[in-house]
PDB file of all heavy atoms in Angstrom:
ATOM      1  N   GLY A 432     105.937  63.411 117.245  1.00  0.00           N
ATOM      2  CA  GLY A 432     106.887  64.505 117.352  1.00  0.00           C
ATOM      3  C   GLY A 432     106.818  65.155 118.719  1.00  0.00           C
ATOM      4  O   GLY A 432     106.440  64.532 119.710  1.00  0.00           O
ATOM      5  N   ARG A 433     107.167  66.437 118.770  1.00  0.00           N
ATOM      6  CA  ARG A 433     107.078  67.156 120.041  1.00  0.00           C
ATOM      7  C   ARG A 433     106.444  68.523 119.799  1.00  0.00           C
ATOM      8  O   ARG A 433     107.069  69.428 119.276  1.00  0.00           O
ATOM      9  CB  ARG A 433     108.444  67.284 120.701  1.00  0.00           C
ATOM     10  CG  ARG A 433     109.523  67.941 119.887  1.00  0.00           C
ATOM     11  CD  ARG A 433     110.802  68.026 120.733  1.00  0.00           C
ATOM     12  NE  ARG A 433     111.824  68.828 120.117  1.00  0.00           N
ATOM     13  CZ  ARG A 433     112.730  68.366 119.267  1.00  0.00           C
ATOM     14  NH1 ARG A 433     112.714  67.105 118.943  1.00  0.00           N
ATOM     15  NH2 ARG A 433     113.655  69.163 118.759  1.00  0.00           N
ATOM     16  N   ILE A 434     105.193  68.634 120.176  1.00  0.00           N
ATOM     17  CA  ILE A 434     104.477  69.899 120.063  1.00  0.00           C
ATOM     18  C   ILE A 434     104.901  70.764 121.239  1.00  0.00           C
ATOM     19  O   ILE A 434     104.693  70.405 122.401  1.00  0.00           O
ATOM     20  CB  ILE A 434     102.964  69.664 120.058  1.00  0.00           C
ATOM     21  CG1 ILE A 434     102.565  68.822 118.841  1.00  0.00           C
ATOM     22  CG2 ILE A 434     102.213  70.999 120.044  1.00  0.00           C
ATOM     23  CD1 ILE A 434     101.110  68.423 118.818  1.00  0.00           C
ATOM     24  N   GLU A 435     105.485  71.914 120.947  1.00  0.00           N
ATOM     25  CA  GLU A 435     106.007  72.787 121.988  1.00  0.00           C
ATOM     26  C   GLU A 435     105.103  73.996 122.241  1.00  0.00           C
ATOM     27  O   GLU A 435     105.158  74.585 123.321  1.00  0.00           O
ATOM     28  CB  GLU A 435     107.411  73.265 121.619  1.00  0.00           C
ATOM     29  CG  GLU A 435     108.410  72.117 121.519  1.00  0.00           C
ATOM     30  CD  GLU A 435     109.798  72.570 121.140  1.00  0.00           C
ATOM     31  OE1 GLU A 435     109.946  73.748 120.735  1.00  0.00           O
ATOM     32  OE2 GLU A 435     110.734  71.763 121.259  1.00  0.00           O
ATOM     33  N   THR A 436     104.293  74.380 121.258  1.00  0.00           N
ATOM     34  CA  THR A 436     103.393  75.523 121.405  1.00  0.00           C
ATOM     35  C   THR A 436     101.976  75.081 121.060  1.00  0.00           C
ATOM     36  O   THR A 436     101.741  74.526 119.984  1.00  0.00           O
ATOM     37  CB  THR A 436     103.808  76.681 120.475  1.00  0.00           C
ATOM     38  OG1 THR A 436     105.138  77.097 120.802  1.00  0.00           O
ATOM     39  CG2 THR A 436     102.865  77.865 120.635  1.00  0.00           C
ATOM     40  N   LEU A 437     101.042  75.337 121.977  1.00  0.00           N
ATOM     41  CA  LEU A 437      99.637  74.974 121.772  1.00  0.00           C
ATOM     42  C   LEU A 437      98.797  76.212 122.028  1.00  0.00           C
ATOM     43  O   LEU A 437      98.777  76.748 123.136  1.00  0.00           O
ATOM     44  CB  LEU A 437      99.238  73.843 122.713  1.00  0.00           C
ATOM     45  CG  LEU A 437      97.802  73.323 122.593  1.00  0.00           C
ATOM     46  CD1 LEU A 437      97.524  72.789 121.195  1.00  0.00           C
ATOM     47  CD2 LEU A 437      97.543  72.234 123.644  1.00  0.00           C
ATOM     48  N   ASP A 438      98.111  76.675 120.989  1.00  0.00           N
ATOM     49  CA  ASP A 438      97.311  77.898 121.070  1.00  0.00           C
ATOM     50  C   ASP A 438      95.837  77.531 121.031  1.00  0.00           C
ATOM     51  O   ASP A 438      95.315  77.108 119.995  1.00  0.00           O
ATOM     52  CB  ASP A 438      97.669  78.832 119.905  1.00  0.00           C
ATOM     53  CG  ASP A 438      97.094  80.237 120.082  1.00  0.00           C
ATOM     54  OD1 ASP A 438      96.112  80.379 120.845  1.00  0.00           O
ATOM     55  OD2 ASP A 438      97.609  81.177 119.454  1.00  0.00           O
ATOM     56  N   LEU A 439      95.166  77.710 122.172  1.00  0.00           N
ATOM     57  CA  LEU A 439      93.749  77.356 122.303  1.00  0.00           C
ATOM     58  C   LEU A 439      92.943  78.551 122.798  1.00  0.00           C
ATOM     59  O   LEU A 439      91.960  78.401 123.532  1.00  0.00           O
ATOM     60  CB  LEU A 439      93.597  76.180 123.272  1.00  0.00           C
ATOM     61  CG  LEU A 439      94.256  74.871 122.827  1.00  0.00           C
ATOM     62  CD1 LEU A 439      94.235  73.851 123.953  1.00  0.00           C
ATOM     63  CD2 LEU A 439      93.583  74.313 121.579  1.00  0.00           C
ATOM     64  N   ARG A 440      93.316  79.746 122.391  1.00  0.00           N
ATOM     65  CA  ARG A 440      92.564  80.944 122.781  1.00  0.00           C
ATOM     66  C   ARG A 440      91.141  80.893 122.230  1.00  0.00           C
ATOM     67  O   ARG A 440      90.925  80.484 121.092  1.00  0.00           O
ATOM     68  CB  ARG A 440      93.261  82.194 122.249  1.00  0.00           C
ATOM     69  CG  ARG A 440      94.586  82.516 122.922  1.00  0.00           C
ATOM     70  CD  ARG A 440      95.286  83.634 122.191  1.00  0.00           C
ATOM     71  NE  ARG A 440      95.710  83.216 120.848  1.00  0.00           N
ATOM     72  CZ  ARG A 440      95.962  84.061 119.858  1.00  0.00           C
ATOM     73  NH1 ARG A 440      95.796  85.362 120.020  1.00  0.00           N
ATOM     74  NH2 ARG A 440      96.361  83.596 118.687  1.00  0.00           N
ATOM     75  N   TYR A 441      90.176  81.290 123.057  1.00  0.00           N
ATOM     76  CA  TYR A 441      88.781  81.410 122.624  1.00  0.00           C
ATOM     77  C   TYR A 441      88.240  80.101 122.047  1.00  0.00           C
ATOM     78  O   TYR A 441      87.491  80.102 121.082  1.00  0.00           O
ATOM     79  CB  TYR A 441      88.632  82.530 121.598  1.00  0.00           C
ATOM     80  CG  TYR A 441      88.855  83.920 122.145  1.00  0.00           C
ATOM     81  CD1 TYR A 441      90.131  84.394 122.412  1.00  0.00           C
ATOM     82  CD2 TYR A 441      87.771  84.763 122.401  1.00  0.00           C
ATOM     83  CE1 TYR A 441      90.339  85.666 122.934  1.00  0.00           C
ATOM     84  CE2 TYR A 441      87.971  86.038 122.916  1.00  0.00           C
ATOM     85  CZ  TYR A 441      89.255  86.478 123.182  1.00  0.00           C
ATOM     86  OH  TYR A 441      89.453  87.747 123.701  1.00  0.00           O
ATOM     87  N   CYS A 442      88.597  78.986 122.659  1.00  0.00           N
ATOM     88  CA  CYS A 442      88.140  77.684 122.164  1.00  0.00           C
ATOM     89  C   CYS A 442      87.003  77.096 122.986  1.00  0.00           C
ATOM     90  O   CYS A 442      86.516  76.008 122.672  1.00  0.00           O
ATOM     91  CB  CYS A 442      89.309  76.691 122.124  1.00  0.00           C
ATOM     92  SG  CYS A 442      90.455  76.953 120.762  1.00  0.00           S
ATOM     93  N   GLY A 443      86.569  77.785 124.035  1.00  0.00           N
ATOM     94  CA  GLY A 443      85.454  77.294 124.832  1.00  0.00           C
ATOM     95  C   GLY A 443      85.762  76.050 125.638  1.00  0.00           C
ATOM     96  O   GLY A 443      84.871  75.253 125.925  1.00  0.00           O
TER      97      GLY A 443
END
Side-chain angles (χ1 to χ4, degrees):
R433 56 178 189 272
I434 298 174
E435 297 179 348
T436 300
L437 182 60
D438 192 338
L439 297 171
R440 290 171 293 158
Y441 292 76
C442 285

